[in-house]
Amino acid sequence: MNQEMLPIKRAFVSIADQVALHGRNMPDRIAVVDGDEILTWRELNARADQMSSWLVRAGVRSGDRVCVLPACEAAVVASIIGIWRAGAVFVPLSPMLTRKMLADMVADCGASLVIASSCYHDKARSLAEDKPYTVHVLGETDLTGLACEPCALSGKGPSDLASIIYSSGTTGAPKGIGHTHEARLAFANVIALHSRMNSDSSAHLAIPPHSNGAMLMWGPAMLVGAKMVLQRTFDVEGLFSIIADWRPTHGFLVPVMCEAILQHPDVENAGLNSFRCAITAGSPMRPSVKQEMQRLTENGLAELWGLTEGLATFQPPEEMAIRPDSVGRPIIGCDLRIINEAGEDISGCGVGEIAGTSNNMMAGYWNAVSRTREAIWQESGGCSYIRSGDIGEIDSDGFLYIRGRSKDMIISGGINVYPADIERELLGHEAVADA
C-alpha cells in the first residue's frame, strides 16, 4: 500500500525571529544591560522593529548590505536584529582599521548605508566623503516615533545571506566571508550547547561584534535569551565591577585580556568564579596564564580554535587540564580532516593542513569566486571542505593539535619544523616570559 505524508511548509526561525519570540514569551526579563540603561526583551524587540522600519523607509531592500561600525552598546544589538528583520545583510567593520581599508570594504560589499556608534562619528563621516553611500550615527535620529509591527517571523529563508565578515586571518588581504541565516543560527546554537548557555545565563560582552570571534557570545545570547551585560570599553576595574553587580556566567576573554586580569592586585577577590564558561580564542594562551585562569574561575575557562569560514574546535575545562597542548575536538556538526601536500587525507596518521566542513560553514567569499574555489578541498565522496592554512594533527581520541601555519613552516635538514613547537619549547624555559 502506498503511504503518503502531507507536505508541511515549515517556518524557519532565525536569530532575529527568536528575539521576537523572546519579546513575546518572556517580555519582562532583562535582555541588555548597558551601564545605567537596562532593556527588557520587550523593549529590545521594539527597538529592533523601529530600526527595521527606519531602514526600510531609508530605502534598504532585501539583500542590501548595511555596514556597521559598532561599539559595545544596546543600540548596536537592536541594529543587528533590525538589519536582519529588514531583510538586509549585516556587514560589521572593525574601527581599528584604517580609513582606506574600511572604505575598500564598504565599496567591495556594495553597501549604500553605514551605521556607526556615536563614538565613531568622525571616522564614519570621513568614509562618506565623495562616496555613493550615507551614514547614520546611532542616537542622532529619534526612532521612537516609528510604529512597531506585531511580532511576526521575518520570512527570511535559511539560505538567505545574513552577514559578511571581513577577515584576513593571519595572512593575505581581507576577504568578505558570507554566512547564511542557517549558518549563523547553527553557530549560535552549537556554542550555546558547548558552553551550556541558557536563558538563565548572563553573558559579559566587551568586544564589539565586528568579528566572528566576538559573535561567540553575541549570537548565542540573543538566541537563547541570556542576559547581555555590555562593557563599552574593556578595563579590568570595569570588569570586576560588572562581576560584583551582575555575576556573569559566560564571557569571551582573549589572552591579552586574561593577562591584564591576572596582573590586577585584587584579582583574588574579584569573584571570577562566577564564570561557568569563559571562552578564550584568537591567539595561543601561555600555559601559566591558562592555569591561573582555571584556578580563579574554578575550572570555568574553555578554549576555542576556529576560522571565520566555519571550522572550529572546543576544549572544555575538564579536558584542558588533561591535554593542555590541544585545542579540543571539533564542535558538534563539524568534521575536520588532515591533508598532505598531495591533497590526500592523512587524518590520524601525521601532520598536515587542517581542512573542515560544518553546519555553519560559509557560503563563500563575497565577490571572489576564484578565492572560494582555491579554498576548497574535496574528499573522496565529493563533499567540499575548507582549507584552513593551519598545520596540525589529530590524535586517536579526535583531539586537534595546532603546529603552525603552512606558510610559516621551516624545513631544516629535510625535517619540517613548526613555529608552534618552537614557541612551546621556548615557553617551557624558566628564563622566558613570553614567545
Side-chain angles (χ1 to χ4, degrees):
M1 184 176 76
N2 291 332
Q3 295 184 352
E4 295 183 357
M5 295 183 68
L6 179 68
I8 298 175
K9 185 177 181 180
R10 177 178 63 90
F12 173 71
V13 181
S14 67
I15 293 176
D17 294 330
Q18 188 60 55
V19 170
L21 295 177
H22 293 329
R24 185 173 69 191
N25 298 331
M26 48 184 193
D28 298 322
R29 296 192 66 169
I30 294 175
V32 178
V33 177
D34 180 6
D36 293 332
E37 183 180 21
I38 298 177
L39 299 179
T40 64
W41 285 103
R42 179 193 287 112
E43 292 166 335
L44 175 62
N45 187 52
R47 291 200 184 184
D49 280 341
Q50 289 162 353
M51 174 56 74
S52 176
S53 296
W54 182 86
L55 288 168
V56 172
R57 294 185 186 194
V60 172
R61 297 293 178 261
S62 181
D64 286 357
R65 279 73 61 200
V66 177
C67 292
V68 181
L69 270 169
C72 269
E73 60 174 326
V76 167
V77 183
S79 295
I80 296 171
I81 303 164
I83 289 168
W84 284 337
R85 287 191 186 164
V89 180
F90 167 55
V91 185
L93 303 175
S94 173
M96 294 181 288
L97 299 178
T98 65
R99 179 187 178 279
K100 183 183 184 306
M101 292 177 73
L102 292 172
D104 287 346
M105 291 174 181
V106 177
D108 181 68
C109 74
S112 60
L113 177 65
V114 177
I115 295 175
S117 292
S118 59
C119 57
Y120 302 123
H121 174 281
D122 292 342
K123 178 164 284 194
R125 292 295 183 198
S126 71
L127 287 176
E129 294 174 0
D130 303 320
K131 301 295 181 182
Y133 46 82
T134 57
V135 170
H136 170 68
V137 177
L138 294 172
E140 287 191 355
T141 302
D142 184 10
L143 307 182
T144 56
L146 294 179
C148 296
E149 298 298 326
C151 171
L153 300 185
S154 66
K156 296 303 291 182
S159 60
D160 289 324
L161 200 59
S163 63
I164 299 172
I165 297 179
Y166 281 89
S167 170
S168 60
T170 54
T171 61
K175 304 180 289 286
I177 301 169
H179 285 104
T180 63
H181 281 281
E182 182 178 42
R184 289 258 64 100
L185 178 65
F187 185 58
N189 220 335
V190 75
I191 296 302
L193 181 63
H194 279 291
S195 67
R196 301 184 296 276
M197 184 189 290
N198 56 47
S199 60
D200 292 324
S201 303
S202 298
H204 168 250
L205 306 174
I207 301 178
H210 52 63
S211 68
N212 210 48
M215 294 298 284
L216 277 171
M217 286 293 119
W218 290 73
M222 287 190 280
L223 178 64
V224 304
K227 186 188 294 112
M228 292 174 273
V229 185
L230 309 183
Q231 185 177 8
R232 293 204 177 194
T233 302
F234 177 78
D235 68 272
V236 178
E237 291 281 354
L239 170 62
F240 289 177
S241 178
I242 286 173
I243 291 174
D245 292 339
W246 295 101
R247 301 292 293 169
T249 57
H250 291 72
F252 176 42
L253 301 173
V254 298
V256 67
M257 294 164 75
C258 293
E259 298 261 6
I261 289 168
L262 294 181
Q263 292 172 8
H264 194 279
D266 200 33
V267 65
E268 295 288 344
N269 304 312
L272 289 170
N273 60 355
S274 75
F275 285 108
R276 291 203 303 266
C277 185
I279 299 177
T280 185
S283 62
M285 181 180 286
R286 292 191 291 123
S288 61
V289 176
K290 277 187 183 180
Q291 292 168 5
E292 273 299 279
M293 288 298 295
Q294 286 289 33
R295 180 181 70 82
L296 291 164
T297 59
E298 297 180 4
N299 294 321
L301 182 71
E303 184 171 15
L304 184 139
W305 167 87
L307 274 69
T308 302
E309 284 84 346
L311 321 181
T313 61
F314 188 83
Q315 178 83 310
E318 58 270 20
E319 291 291 349
M320 193 181 290
I322 301 171
R323 296 176 173 85
D325 294 336
S326 171
V327 291
R329 289 189 175 109
I331 60 173
I332 294 170
C334 177
D335 178 36
L336 296 182
R337 306 289 180 89
I338 303 297
I339 58 176
N340 62 17
E341 293 180 358
E344 300 166 329
D345 186 349
I346 58 168
S347 302
C349 300
V351 178
E353 184 179 1
I354 306 162
T357 188
S358 73
N359 292 335
N360 55 285
M361 194 165 78
M362 70 171 183
Y365 296 123
W366 180 260
N367 278 342
V369 174
S370 60
R371 294 180 81 174
T372 303
R373 191 175 293 115
E374 290 168 3
I376 293 174
W377 171 78
Q378 286 195 320
E379 52 91 53
S380 57
C383 291
S384 294
Y385 285 60
I386 297 297
R387 305 181 70 133
S388 70
D390 282 350
I391 299 297
E393 59 183 315
I394 299 174
D395 69 17
S396 58
D397 292 318
F399 286 86
L400 177 67
Y401 297 79
I402 304 297
R403 299 307 184 204
R405 293 286 296 175
S406 58
K407 294 182 179 179
D408 296 337
M409 185 181 70
I410 304 164
I411 300 177
S412 177
I415 298 174
N416 295 339
V417 180
Y418 300 100
D421 294 330
I422 298 173
E423 290 174 5
R424 192 175 298 110
E425 291 299 317
L426 288 171
L427 289 171
H429 195 286
E430 60 183 12
V432 176
D434 198 4

